[in-house]
Every structure is written in C-alpha cells, then in structure tokens.
Amino acid sequence: MYNVKSLNADEFINHEEILETLEYAEQNKHNKALIEEILEKARPKKTGRGVECAGLSHREASVLLACDLPEMTEKIYDLAREIKQAFYGDRIVMFAPLYLSNYCVNKCVYCPYHMQNKEIPRKKLTQDEVRDEVIALQDMGHKRLAIESGEDPVNNPIEYILECINTIYSIKHKNGAIRRVNVNIAATTVENYRKLKEAGIGTYILFQETYHRESYEVLHPAGPKHNYAYHTEAMDRAMEGGIDDVGLGVLFGLDKYRYEFAGLLMHAEHLEAVHGVGPHTISVPRLRRASDIDPTVFDNGIDDETFAKIVACIRIAVPYTGMIISTRESEECRAKVIGLGVSQISGGSRTSVGGYAGYSSEERPHDTEQFDVSDQRTLDEVVKWLMDMGYIPSFCTACYREGRTGDRFMALCKVGQIQNCCHPNALLTLQEYLQDYASPETRKVGEAMIDREIQNVPDPKRREKALEYLDKIRNGERDFRF
Ligand code: SAM
C-alpha cells in the first residue's frame, strides 16, 4: 500500500499509486478548470517571508505533464519560467564530471561499463592521474566536480573513492581549487555514506534509472545493482549517514516517461516527509549511444518537446530543487531547457577515465567513454554562449562551504535572500573565472555583464561589499563569498 513515510521502497514508490496517478492524469488531461487550479496553486506568491511556492503533488504534476492542449502547454511553460526566475534568476551553475574508474561488476544493459563488455579497456585512475585530471580541470576554470565510478568492491572500494576525494580537495594549482566534490557512485551502506560525509562531499547523486520495479530488474540482471529495494532506499541511508544534499534522477528512455516522472516526484515527497528536506537536485539524463550500446533498442525514447515539458513540470512541482543537465544533450536542447528550469549544467566534459589531462580541447579519447557527448564545446565557449543568451555562469560553491545544506539552503530560498546572496556570489566567481581562465572575447562580455548585474543586488550594503570584493579579485585575491 502507498505510504509516503514508509522506508520500504515498494510502499513509498508504490506501483498501484503510480498507475492510479497515470489514470487520473489521463482522465483530467483536458480538464481546463482543474489545470488552471493546479497552475494557480503552484504560482509564486508574496508572503511575509518573501516569495514562496507551494509546489505540486505527484498527482497534480502528472496532470500537467499529460495535458496536450497547446494553450495550456504555453501556460505551463510560462509558469516554469516565472518560478525559475523567482528562485534562480539568470544564474547557471557550472560543473564537470570526473570519471575515476570504469571497473564494474554490474550488468546494466544500457551502460557500456557493464562487466561483460569486452570492447572497452578497463581503467582506474591512480592518485597521480587524479592529480593530472584535476589540474587540467582547474586550468579550464572548474571549481565544482561530480566524480563518477563503476561499482566494483575490489577495484573501486570506498577507501579508493575517499582517497580520490582527498586528493582532489588537496590540489591547489595556480589560482585553481576544486571547492565542491559531488559524488555519483553506486548505492552503499549507511557507514560508507557517513565516510563520504566526513570526506566533505557536496551532493550525493544516485540515479534511480527507472522506478518501474519489473523493468529495473530486467535492466539490471545481475550484480549488486540488481537489488531494486537496496538501490531505491539508498537516499534514506545516505540521509541517515548525515548527507543532507542528495540528487535524484532517472535515465529517460528506459521506461515510460510518465511513470518515471510520477515515481521521481513520489521519491522527492518521500524524502521531504521522512527527513524534512527534499532532494537538493534532480538530474534528467537521456539514454545515449555508447561503446556497445545502441539506444534505439530501448523503445521508450522521448523527443525534445516531451523532454522540455518534463523539465518544465519538474520545475513547477519542486520549485526549490536544482535541476541538472549534462553534455548528453545538444546545444540547442540545452538552450531550451535552461529557460524552463535547469539550474546547473556541465561544460567541457569528458566521460572517459583520464579524458582531460594531456588532450587538447579538440582531441577526445573515446576508448573508455561512458557515453557519446553531444555538446562538445569547451568550457569557455559554453560560458560565453550562456552570457550571450543573458545567463550568468556561476562557479559558486558558497552554500555548502557556509554550511547551508539541506533545509538551511531551502530556508535561504524561502526568505528571498537569494538576490542578496546567490546573485553576488555568482558574479564574484564569474569574475575569478574571467580573470584566470577566459579568452579575451569571453572576458569582455563577462566584465560588461558583471558591471551591469552588480547593480541588481538589492541591499545597498551587500552591493557595496560585493563591489569591494570584485576589486580585490581584480587585484589578485581569491575566494570571497556571502
Ligand atoms: N555506477 C554508479 C551507479 O550505478 O549509480 C555510478 C553512475 S554511472 C557512472 C552514471 C550514470 O550514467 C548512471 O547512473 C546512468 O544513469 C548513466 N548512464 C549509463 N549508461 C548511459 C548511457 N548509455 N547513456 C546515458 N547515460 C548513461
């Protein structure tokens, strides 16, 4: 039976509840009065504490996703843009993945790291290689990484992951520093989550892949990842281990997207109900071609329009949750979904183990790649492209370093302090990037943007302080934050 507070996967991601939700959504997909009512509920409202949003339940959001009336779809997109603007403004946080090891004992049928794939050479970075990769990433301008690894208790035990995290944080090359390491590794024990927390990780990210238990078991035929309940309950263990920023995601293309969407939101509701804080981020990866993987054999692929609608509906349903898109998506698709709700993107990414050091920006090693990268531009090109569209690329990592994680981060959103905090932080970190890593053209566009945008910090004292910090950065000092 469905129970949002249960710690049993089959109860908080309840199959019958999802089927009933989909049925309800189908019956109401043209019910204009109801859709208007749902949109009204989700609209940002001014309260004594600033601007707040109520969000939506999985049922309500599923009605919006099912609705195919063009005029209503426009209203859904408009509301998603309005919510995005209210909480994220024009800021887009930048990150890059760092692949540590492709050794894996699972048999995920969509992933080229599956243990039976003999086409890819297996590789695991040594600490010296981690160092080289991190220096290459710092030299691009990155401050925030997501580390990725296959699951292999012998080759990539938790001690190896912890050692890598340590190495990453220890490297200070020129003005570079990795200030936040997010971790995307397989589901593990409370004890290991505690160790990750102690190592100072940012978000623990784990994609559910699919919320459909039967499909899940077929798609993960062997290995530890076969255990659906263990995987689905991982975020509860992570939170029990003290990690209060967790990142959800499904791999779109594996099962029916409306099912996944309802499951994803039920998972978010569950975390909120049990731990008092929802997911910090939601990722929306789509299946890509890879070494011995042909995505066309999975028949649940979604087109760009449906993908955009999913992003918009997530933005409306969980207004305070960051949304991440990777270089799996093309420049064109990224441009569209950034406007509708995405708040974090990767840039200059390599999805191979050891893909950064020793390669020029044009060269890319394909042999150990996890999936084909669609957006192959350099970080500098992505940064300039964002600014040309009016977005502010942000390398900010302040919240986590100031201890504003979990519900403390949400509180910042709710009291409307974002414009006095995130906005100047974005500009300060952009200034660092321009100074240390940008091409002359990007720097010119960025300097003009900073001069203009700094005026939009509402609190005059904060604005003055930010101007002082900007001056200091221009004179060689680094790492200021609010
Ligand atoms: N091994 C860990 C796990 O199982 O969660 C870490 C994650 S893996 C390195 C990162 C993610 O890549 C997976 O969770 C999966 O969603 C995604 N992925 C795997 N194969 C993919 C493909 N062919 N196209 C796009 N994404 C893929």
Side-chain angles (χ1 to χ4, degrees):
M1 214 179 54
Y2 177 49
N3 177 0
V4 69
K5 286 195 164 179
S6 167
L7 295 177
N8 174 332
D10 289 321
E11 290 179 355
F12 67 81
I13 306 293
N14 181 255
H15 180 62
E16 283 69 38
E17 171 60 21
I18 298 184
L19 294 185
E20 278 173 34
T21 297
L22 300 185
E23 179 62 33
Y24 174 77
E26 193 56 30
Q27 276 169 10
N28 285 291
K29 68 180 188 182
H30 295 153
N31 181 344
K32 284 191 191 176
L34 178 69
I35 293 166
E36 293 280 11
E37 203 180 294
I38 293 172
L39 291 173
E40 194 44 44
K41 175 185 170 192
R43 212 171 289 290
K45 302 198 176 59
K46 280 216 166 75
T47 68
R49 302 197 298 164
V51 177
E52 289 189 36
C53 270
L56 294 177
S57 69
H58 59 276
R59 284 211 175 196
E60 292 161 336
S62 292
V63 172
L64 297 189
L65 185 63
C67 167
D68 54 6
L69 301 169
E71 75 273 25
M72 287 297 162
T73 304
E74 270 322 301
K75 287 189 181 187
I76 291 169
Y77 284 178
D78 286 347
L79 179 58
R81 286 190 199 99
E82 189 184 335
I83 293 175
K84 162 110 201 275
Q85 196 56 37
F87 300 114
Y88 291 92
D90 293 322
R91 296 174 303 282
I92 299 291
V93 168
M94 307 301 304
F95 78 99
L98 170 58
Y99 282 76
L100 300 178
S101 168
N102 63 6
Y103 282 95
C104 195
V105 296
N106 287 310
K107 287 192 181 169
C108 315
V109 301
Y110 50 84
C111 178
Y113 289 178
H114 70 87
M115 67 178 293
Q116 281 157 318
N117 186 1
K118 299 280 178 266
E119 275 180 23
I120 52 166
R122 299 292 163 166
K123 189 168 160 60
K124 165 187 166 181
L125 298 180
T126 62
Q127 295 311 302
D128 280 346
E129 287 168 329
V130 171
R131 201 186 144 75
D132 293 343
E133 291 287 274
V134 170
I135 288 175
L137 283 155
Q138 288 185 4
D139 279 345
M140 288 160 73
H142 280 294
K143 298 281 186 274
R144 176 188 290 247
L145 300 183
I147 55 173
E148 310 274 340
S149 170
E151 179 170 13
D152 184 331
V154 173
N155 287 297
N156 330 317
I158 192 73
E159 291 72 24
Y160 169 71
I161 304 291
L162 296 168
E163 195 184 0
C164 292
I165 295 169
N166 237 328
T167 303
I168 296 168
Y169 278 133
S170 73
I171 297 162
K172 304 278 180 293
H173 169 71
K174 298 183 182 164
N175 281 335
I178 298 302
R179 299 172 180 159
R180 178 175 176 127
V181 178
N182 296 333
V183 173
N184 185 3
I185 61 163
T188 184
T189 59
V190 174
E191 195 190 322
N192 286 347
Y193 286 125
R194 200 162 281 131
K195 290 179 183 166
L196 288 169
K197 173 74 184 173
E198 281 160 12
I201 70 161
T203 313
Y204 171 65
I205 299 166
L206 180 70
F207 300 159
Q208 178 63 29
E209 321 299 5
T210 174
Y211 283 97
H212 193 289
R213 185 194 249 272
E214 260 178 46
S215 305
Y216 183 96
E217 286 167 354
V218 173
L219 291 161
H220 306 94
K225 197 163 169 177
H226 177 70
N227 188 335
Y228 171 84
Y230 189 74
H231 188 83
T232 311
E233 294 159 9
M235 294 313 194
D236 294 297
R237 291 195 301 280
M239 287 191 161
E240 199 186 327
I243 299 176
D244 51 3
D245 281 351
V246 300
L248 303 180
V250 288
L251 186 54
F252 284 100
L254 297 180
D255 207 292
K256 304 268 183 296
Y257 72 92
R258 289 190 196 172
Y259 192 101
E260 305 293 22
F261 177 82
L264 190 56
L265 293 184
M266 284 164 78
H267 201 170
E269 287 164 16
H270 164 73
L271 296 177
E272 176 92 46
V274 175
H275 307 280
V277 54
H280 187 65
T281 55
I282 288 181
S283 299
V284 286
R286 275 196 288 186
L287 198 60
R288 297 277 303 161
R289 182 170 298 284
S291 154
D292 71 338
I293 308 295
D294 173 5
T296 59
V297 305
F298 300 89
D299 48 13
N300 290 307
I302 49 172
D303 59 25
D304 286 358
E305 200 48 50
T306 308
F307 186 62
K309 185 94 176 287
I310 291 171
V311 168
C313 291
I314 293 176
R315 177 43 61 242
I316 296 172
V318 283
Y320 305 116
T321 301
M323 219 188 302
I324 303 179
I325 197 154
S326 74
T327 53
R328 291 178 181 86
E329 300 301 334
S330 66
E331 171 179 338
E332 192 190 0
C333 174
R334 280 165 39 117
K336 181 161 187 174
V337 294
I338 286 171
L340 293 172
V342 166
S343 56
Q344 270 191 47
I345 70 168
S346 46
S349 304
R350 300 292 163 87
T351 65
S352 37
V353 182
Y356 294 104
Y359 295 98
S360 72
S361 56
E362 288 82 39
E363 283 174 300
R364 48 182 60 239
H366 289 293
D367 57 345
T368 63
E369 216 170 30
Q370 198 200 7
F371 51 80
D372 285 0
V373 167
S374 179
D375 186 342
Q376 303 203 349
R377 293 170 297 167
T378 62
L379 180 62
D380 188 72
E381 286 168 332
V382 175
V383 164
K384 169 143 190 315
W385 167 76
L386 284 172
M387 294 192 298
D388 287 342
M389 292 191 297
Y391 295 109
I392 306 168
S394 170
F395 294 86
C396 180
T397 53
C399 271
Y400 139 85
R401 294 166 78 217
E402 290 291 319
R404 290 189 297 257
T405 57
D407 53 356
R408 290 176 297 276
F409 164 74
M410 298 296 169
L412 179 80
C413 293
K414 290 181 187 166
V415 295
Q417 272 310 310
I418 288 187
Q419 198 64 11
N420 277 321
C421 196
C422 305
H423 188 68
N425 280 339
L427 298 175
L428 296 175
T429 54
L430 176 60
Q431 182 67 51
E432 288 186 336
Y433 173 82
L434 298 178
Q435 202 93 2
D436 291 337
Y437 309 104
S439 63
E441 211 184 325
T442 302
R443 185 164 171 176
K444 202 168 130 203
V445 177
E447 296 272 3
M449 171 172 260
I450 291 171
D451 288 346
R452 207 171 51 239
E453 288 292 338
I454 202 74
Q455 301 309 327
N456 294 331
V457 178
D459 176 14
K461 278 199 186 133
R462 190 46 77 87
R463 197 184 322 134
E464 209 174 298
K465 196 81 194 152
L467 281 164
E468 186 190 315
Y469 286 163
L470 280 174
D471 259 352
K472 289 187 171 176
I473 294 171
R474 288 176 184 136
N475 286 315
E477 289 183 60
R478 293 289 173 271
D479 204 10
F480 297 99
R481 61 178 179 268
F482 294 106

